[in-house]
Amino acid sequence: MSPEPHPTTSMSKTAPPAPPGQRGEDVIHNIGYRNYDGPRLGRGYARTSLFDQSLRGAYGLGRSAKSKVLPMILFAVMCVPAAIVVAVAIFTEAKQMPVDYNSYVLRMQPVIGIYIAAMAPQAVSLDLRFRVVPLYFSRPIERSDYVGAKYAALSAAIFIFTAASVVILYVGALLAKLDFGDQTKGFALGLACCAIFSLLHAGIGLAVAAATPRRGFGVAAIIAVLTIPYMLVGTVQGIAFSQDNTKIIGWLGLGSPGTLVDGLQSKFLDGQSDFPSGQALTSMQASLYVLLIVVLIAGTYGLLLRRYRKAGL
Amino acid sequence: MYNHTVARLTYKGLLGRRRALLLCALPLLLLVVAVAVRGLTGADDEVAKGLLGSFAMATMVPLIGVVAGTGAIGPEIDDGSVVYLLAKPLKRSSIIVTKLLVAIGVTVAFSAIPTLLAGYILNGNSQQIAVAYAVGAAVASVAYSALFLLLGTISRHAVVIGLVYALIWEALVGSIVPGARDLSVQQWALSLAQKVGDSGAGITSEVGVPTGVTLLLVVTLGGTWYAVRKLRTLKLAGEE
């Protein structure tokens, strides 16, 4: 914490470390602590620890009981409807699931949005607010390690959040004795959809959250970036549909991260899009969707790397 | 009951730097979409109702209410600087009332006025739709400000809880469980909008005007009263 240089760094330049208790020649202040010269775990270990702690923190594990409440409630809100769907399917002996894997995840977007909005600032804003970022960077980790670990941790947290309900639906489908091959294919594609969704949303959430040390403000800003455009695009698509202007619906979908994933999964992952006409994208639109998603993921990662060139704000 | 210095500080906290950006972005988005939709489809009452009802009333007003309502007091409690305010010889009630008035002013300015403008852009206020939704937005702003200011004094997660209410309760649960719609500020405010709009406009609300107004008053006054009480016994806790 103090601005004084550490004894070892200044000594190692000129003389071998002095025995404990003796003064090194060029040391301003030496109170005789012994140096640690045992094995060091190094950069890779620090990186995995950071990932580990951030991922656990996103569900409140290892934190106070109070901070477990919100993620666990949201997790339950995400999973319980899936369990109800499964129960209904088994009870009525349905020939297929009432909702498919991809569209269940995409329909729950308001809940996922709130989870991301609550957890992304938790992952980065608190570090900024309590000024511990310089402490991270005084360890052997590099800027890219910090950003990469946080990005991976939040993506993994969102993936677990979304994939859990997909797993419930899959297990339920098997219990209801639906076709194994069909369901497994849908399940795998559903997981792929969750993965793309998590990567995209984690990037956007972190990029917004890293810009502010205030948690409350970060939460509102992430909702404004993720959920508001999603609802707005839905509304405008509905208007376009009621005006019989169906060509524009696919283009409008480019306007929000949620509809981007929706369009992508309807084209490539065998899903049904939530767009009002239910129409598929043209191949040109689809390639633009893919391009925009890749640009957004790479762009937010780049923004984060740029953001942490300076440790403060 | 109104303290000028507290009001000035609250304004500065609310409109300072990035927060103002967020507050401006949503109304701007509404206006841009309104212009685009008008250009795309021409004046149409149904379209105007759809955009104002489902985007302005259901999403924009609650979100701005959350930002302004919790932002009026939340950050000060969060970083502990509220003790300097509480240590001054000021009544707790006048602190809350001042902050509430500022929050209401900001919410109305950033939600009701853009709603009115967007309504005029969309269909030139035919059948009083623009005015009706603007009145609804203004009334809702008052109730939201009181509600979220109260949340700001109760919990550190005020913004998240406010968003859960605004987005999950009013939008998601309301669309599945019809009974939940009776318990929503948006529907109470819409009951007034229904009254203001022409009968041909077809703005619908789940509750009648007397019920709506009573519930709005109860929420606003009750919320303010409890916020004052809460501020009297405020405990400053560290970050968990």
Side-chain angles (χ1 to χ4, degrees):
Chain A
M1 292 294 210
S2 66
E4 300 167 25
H6 194 274
T8 46
T9 48
S10 48
M11 280 194 305
S12 57
K13 274 179 212 155
T14 51
Q22 276 183 18
R23 272 171 191 280
E25 294 196 0
D26 54 349
V27 172
I28 297 172
H29 182 65
N30 183 351
I31 54 175
Y33 286 147
R34 290 177 65 172
N35 292 317
Y36 176 77
D37 48 11
R40 293 193 182 265
L41 293 166
R43 188 176 152 191
Y45 185 83
R47 194 168 42 204
T48 36
S49 305
L50 191 56
F51 169 78
D52 209 36
Q53 292 301 323
S54 305
L55 178 56
R56 281 166 52 86
Y59 284 93
L61 303 173
R63 297 168 61 212
S64 69
K66 250 177 146 182
S67 29
K68 289 186 183 69
V69 174
L70 186 73
M72 290 308 167
I73 288 181
L74 286 176
F75 193 69
V77 169
M78 186 76 192
C79 290
V80 167
I84 293 175
V85 166
V86 165
V88 169
I90 294 176
F91 191 68
T92 60
E93 291 170 2
K95 291 279 166 286
Q96 70 184 87
M97 293 300 268
V99 283
D100 62 2
Y101 301 106
N102 296 347
S103 62
Y104 179 83
V105 170
L106 291 167
R107 291 224 181 113
M108 294 301 276
Q109 274 201 65
V111 182
I112 307 171
I114 287 183
Y115 176 76
I116 299 169
M119 290 312 146
Q122 207 284 122
V124 289
S125 299
L126 293 183
D127 287 349
L128 289 169
R129 185 159 150 214
F130 297 109
R131 306 210 164 86
V132 289
V133 179
L135 297 183
Y136 282 118
F137 291 136
S138 68
R139 303 274 93 198
I141 60 168
E142 299 281 324
R143 185 165 49 128
S144 58
D145 296 329
Y146 181 81
V147 171
K150 289 286 182 188
Y151 197 133
L154 192 65
S155 309
I158 301 172
F159 183 74
I160 293 171
F161 194 78
T162 49
S165 51
V166 173
V167 171
I168 293 177
L169 286 176
Y170 177 62
V171 171
L174 295 187
L175 285 178
K177 296 206 168 62
L178 300 181
D179 182 53
F180 178 77
D182 254 10
Q183 293 301 323
T184 309
K185 181 166 166 258
F187 175 60
L189 292 176
L191 287 185
C193 175
C194 288
I196 296 170
F197 185 93
S198 324
L199 274 178
L200 180 64
H201 283 69
I204 297 173
L206 279 180
V208 175
T212 168
R214 290 222 184 265
R215 188 172 47 189
F217 179 55
V219 171
I222 291 173
I223 287 290
V225 174
L226 291 181
T227 309
I228 301 292
Y230 177 68
M231 293 186 163
L232 185 66
V233 167
T235 309
V236 178
Q237 281 179 334
I239 290 172
F241 183 60
S242 67
Q243 301 288 327
D244 290 329
N245 196 346
T246 46
K247 266 185 222 142
I248 204 170
I249 289 178
W251 295 110
L252 285 171
L254 286 167
S256 89
T259 45
L260 273 178
V261 178
D262 195 355
L264 185 84
Q265 60 90 15
S266 73
K267 181 79 181 174
F268 297 109
L269 299 178
D270 210 11
Q272 187 74 46
S273 81
D274 229 7
F275 294 173
S277 59
Q279 67 184 38
L281 301 173
T282 63
S283 49
M284 183 173 157
Q285 283 171 341
S287 49
L288 256 179
Y289 271 56
V290 175
L291 185 71
L292 193 55
I293 289 180
V294 171
V295 165
L296 273 174
I297 292 176
T300 47
Y301 188 75
L303 263 182
L304 280 169
L305 276 182
R306 236 192 81 194
R307 162 73 191 78
Y308 282 101
R309 274 208 298 229
K310 200 172 71 167
L313 260 188
Chain B
M1 287 309 266
Y2 177 82
N3 184 293
H4 187 68
T5 314
V6 175
R8 192 169 51 82
L9 290 172
T10 312
Y11 268 118
K12 263 177 104 175
L14 271 181
L15 300 181
R17 298 199 305 158
R18 300 204 177 96
R19 213 168 267 269
L21 268 181
L22 180 65
L23 284 172
C24 290
L26 286 172
L28 259 182
L29 196 63
L30 175 67
L31 292 179
V32 168
V33 170
V35 171
V37 167
R38 176 69 191 255
L40 208 69
T41 67
D44 184 327
D45 290 354
E46 281 304 309
V47 170
K49 237 173 54 186
L51 192 65
L52 292 182
S54 68
F55 181 63
M57 275 300 279
T59 320
M60 193 185 82
V61 180
L63 197 79
I64 292 190
V66 169
V67 171
T70 59
I73 195 152
E76 283 183 53
I77 296 182
D78 222 23
D79 64 18
S81 66
V82 77
V83 284
Y84 303 111
L85 186 58
L86 298 182
K88 297 277 178 294
L90 273 177
K91 278 193 171 173
R92 302 287 154 92
S93 54
S94 65
I95 294 177
I96 289 288
V97 169
T98 309
K99 284 187 180 293
L100 178 62
L101 288 177
V102 172
I104 290 173
V106 169
T107 317
V108 170
F110 284 96
S111 67
I113 295 172
T115 306
L116 186 68
L117 283 178
Y120 269 98
I121 292 172
L122 281 167
N123 70 350
N125 197 24
S126 103
Q127 306 212 36
Q128 295 283 324
I129 286 179
V131 174
Y133 275 108
V135 168
V139 175
S141 304
V142 176
Y144 279 130
S145 301
L147 197 63
F148 294 134
L149 189 71
L150 169 66
L151 267 182
T153 60
I154 291 179
S155 168
R156 304 169 88 56
H157 297 288
V159 179
V160 178
I161 299 174
L163 288 172
V164 167
Y165 169 76
L167 296 179
I168 295 194
W169 181 260
E170 292 209 339
L172 210 62
V173 180
S175 64
I176 300 167
V177 188
R181 270 176 256 160
D182 294 349
L183 287 178
S184 104
V185 173
Q186 187 197 335
Q187 294 296 334
W188 306 337
L190 279 178
S191 73
L192 277 175
Q194 188 181 10
K195 193 84 182 160
V196 174
D198 286 359
S199 51
I203 302 168
T204 53
S205 163
E206 294 290 315
V207 293
V209 177
T211 329
V213 172
T214 320
L215 287 170
L216 282 171
L217 279 177
V218 167
V219 163
T220 310
L221 297 179
T224 314
W225 172 78
Y226 196 69
V228 172
R229 223 184 99 96
K230 203 70 204 160
L231 200 62
R232 283 205 185 116
T233 58
L234 188 72
K235 247 200 263 171
L236 288 170
E239 189 71 35
E240 82 269 342

